[in-house]
Amino acid sequence: MIRPFDDTTAKHKVVIYGHPALRKRANEITVFDDALRGMAREMFATMTDYEGIGLAAPQIDKNIRLLVVGVIDEEKEDILYLAVCNPAIVDSSGSYDMEEGCLSIPDIRDTVTRPAEITLEYDTLEGERRKIKADGMLARVLQHEIDHLNGVLFIDHLSPIRRGLLSGKLKRLEREQQES
Ligand SMILES: [Zn+2]
């Protein structure tokens, strides 16, 4: 697949745990214009620069319901790039555990339980409503990034005990964020 950005595409700084943008509910997108498509391109470039597989707009301090993913498509031996606006999970099934990390919570990974398969409705960058089924890594990344649009982080899914064990690290991240 052709990369949806090039070397000249502007990149953004990803905000870190403790930044208020990560705890807000992002706004619905109503205008599907070149500015939106440019923003998506910059998010693809930023995600790739940080070696991430997904990025949501609040992570670059933009309060809109836009996320991008770039996951390996094993069948096609290629990277599947997908930009998703105004997502809604309309159906889900199964459940499985997987270790997750987050560009906004560096150096912390933990196991999160989520549905294995989802049916997703979303708008394309042109404003066309689509419906897709996703499983595996794609379903996982989509759910993680959709959480970001609702101010939810993967650590919120952990048990109080697991979160308690991470509290020292999280406090340190929060301090670093406030000082930066
Ligand atoms: Zn994340």
Side-chain angles (χ1 to χ4, degrees):
M1 187 180 234
I2 299 163
R3 292 203 317 181
F5 59 94
D6 61 39
D7 293 341
T8 66
T9 308
K11 298 176 193 85
H12 295 260
K13 193 175 159 229
V14 171
V15 300
I16 300 301
Y17 182 79
H19 193 289
L22 295 174
R23 287 307 194 182
K24 282 185 195 143
R25 189 186 152 82
N27 295 318
E28 209 76 12
I29 295 166
T30 54
V31 179
F32 299 85
D33 58 4
D34 285 345
L36 178 70
R37 289 182 278 277
M39 179 59 60
R41 252 194 322 278
E42 291 175 9
M43 284 173 59
F44 279 122
T46 303
M47 173 187 78
T48 304
D49 197 43
Y50 277 80
E51 298 181 350
I53 55 176
L55 186 70
Q59 291 182 277
I60 56 163
D61 200 12
K62 303 284 179 210
N63 193 29
I64 56 170
R65 302 186 80 74
L66 168 64
L67 65 88
V68 298
V69 299
V71 297
I72 306 265
D73 184 336
E74 280 168 17
E75 273 171 38
K76 292 180 187 150
E77 295 180 346
D78 201 352
I79 297 176
L80 168 72
Y81 291 104
L82 187 65
V84 169
C85 307
N86 302 329
I89 295 171
V90 294
D91 198 13
S92 65
S93 61
S95 158
Y96 80 120
D97 292 346
M98 192 175 171
E99 197 180 68
E100 292 188 25
C102 180
L103 295 178
S104 294
I105 315 177
D107 303 326
I108 293 180
R109 302 186 66 82
D110 215 321
T111 304
V112 179
T113 308
R114 295 187 192 267
E117 294 158 3
I118 58 168
T119 304
L120 179 79
E121 283 186 10
Y122 69 99
D123 294 317
T124 66
L125 293 169
E126 281 71 39
E128 290 158 20
R129 200 72 179 160
R130 292 270 165 81
K131 191 178 196 173
I132 59 165
K133 279 186 195 297
D135 59 12
M137 187 59 96
L138 180 60
R140 176 63 58 156
V141 179
L142 284 168
Q143 290 175 85
H144 177 116
E145 302 308 333
I146 291 168
D147 271 355
H148 275 301
L149 304 182
N150 297 319
V152 174
L153 302 171
F154 83 89
I155 50 171
D156 300 339
H157 293 282
L158 304 177
S159 69
I161 291 172
R162 293 296 313 163
R163 246 188 113 163
L165 288 171
L166 294 173
S167 64
K169 278 185 173 178
L170 290 170
K171 282 215 178 72
R172 201 192 51 209
L173 281 178
E174 218 166 342
R175 263 201 313 277
E176 287 170 8
Q177 146 69 29
Q178 277 156 5
E179 285 159 9
S180 71

